[in-house]
Amino acid sequence: MEPKIVAGNWKMNKNLQEGIELTNDIINKANQVPDDVTIIIGPPYIHLEKAASLTKDSKIKVAAQNCSSEEKGAFTGEVSAEMIKSTGAEYVILGHSERRAYFDETDELIYAKIIRALKHNLKPIVCCGEKLNERENGNHFDVVKSQIQNTILKLKEEDINKIIIAYEPVWAIGTGKTATNEQAEEMHEYIRKLITEKFGKEIGSSLPILYGGSCKPNNAAGLFSQPDINGGLIGGASLKSDDFVEIGKLFK
Ligand code: PGA
């Protein structure tokens, strides 16, 4: 069965009270989303324990938005994979383009974070995607290929089934400018080909690849109907329970 996943990335939004309200709203509406769709919410660290306990008896899973590459110790302000796991969260978003752009995260660091997350049984949602100038120069396939080669393709086969990939063209994030269904599908197909070449057909065809970048209720159905798109990583629209739940209903 093809995976169907709708994952929210709240980014640096919602104080504790607002986060609890949004989590409860999504829980209350989640039964509108078909049972075969996995719903993941990605609040800031401060919400993780509360979000995990509120969603415990629901079908909603919780993701952190980042973790440290280090195990523990004198790294002021950092949060470890083990700490995240102890909150009840099951996933962690890694390598988001905002982390790459504003916090200088390299593929090397992202790979170290993936390994750390896997060690603590957190499932990484690994982001990749090209910038506008890279697409305009026709380099988008090469950019994404090297991001995937430096991270996912270095993993052991037994870890690959714990990974979700999110293709997020940077020019589409928060801009209201979505990739067309064709632009998204051709990159997803390409990523799947890279995975299949390395790990074989079974893993290649079952690995979830989400699209992210201005994915909204008015465009998700077209994106999700593409053969290599298994759902969405949703930023802005994940902050409104109605929009987020609506997107979860738009799988074929
Ligand atoms: P957006 O963000 O849906 O607001 O474009 C997506 C993301 O950054 O994950």
Side-chain angles (χ1 to χ4, degrees), residues 9 11 96 98 168 172-175 212-216 233-237:
N9 173 10
K11 309 192 180 186
H96 191 279
E98 287 151 17
E168 301 204 304
I173 296 178
T175 58
S214 300
C215 188
K216 311 272 182 210
L233 180 56
I234 320 294

Side-chain angles (χ1 to χ4, degrees), residues 21-79:
E21 196 182 324
L22 177 56
T23 304
N24 279 326
D25 284 349
I26 295 170
I27 293 169
N28 292 335
K29 294 170 188 168
N31 60 357
Q32 299 170 27
V33 175
D35 283 342
D36 62 345
V37 177
T38 302
I39 306 173
I40 303 171
I41 58 172
Y45 291 135
I46 62 143
H47 300 290
L48 289 177
E49 189 277 330
K50 191 73 187 169
S53 62
L54 288 172
T55 55
K56 204 160 170 270
D57 298 320
S58 78
K59 58 181 179 184
I60 299 164
K61 314 278 185 202
V62 178
Q65 297 172 18
N66 182 29
C67 75
S68 174
S69 60
E70 301 291 339
E71 181 66 21
K72 66 193 296 194
F75 299 98
T76 302
E78 287 290 89
V79 174

Side-chain angles (χ1 to χ4, degrees), residues 2 19 74 95 131 152 172 236:
E2 270 188 27
K131 301 192 194 89
I152 310 286

Side-chain angles (χ1 to χ4, degrees), residues 71-142:
E71 181 66 21
K72 66 193 296 194
F75 299 98
T76 302
E78 287 290 89
V79 174
S80 74
E82 199 228 332
M83 292 172 187
I84 292 169
K85 183 69 185 179
S86 75
T87 68
E90 292 176 57
Y91 295 84
V92 58
I93 300 169
L94 293 174
H96 191 279
S97 65
E98 287 151 17
R99 303 277 336 155
R100 293 177 189 259
Y102 307 140
F103 304 94
D104 297 326
E105 292 201 3
T106 59
D107 285 343
E108 198 184 5
L109 180 72
I110 294 159
Y111 177 69
K113 291 184 178 198
I114 296 171
I115 296 295
R116 195 66 70 185
L118 288 169
K119 179 177 173 208
H120 293 287
N121 288 319
L122 277 177
K123 295 179 204 142
I125 302 173
V126 183
C127 304
C128 61
E130 81 285 357
K131 301 192 194 89
L132 182 60
N133 67 321
E134 293 165 337
R135 178 163 280 267
E136 285 174 348
N137 294 338
N139 291 335
H140 43 299
F141 289 110
D142 287 345

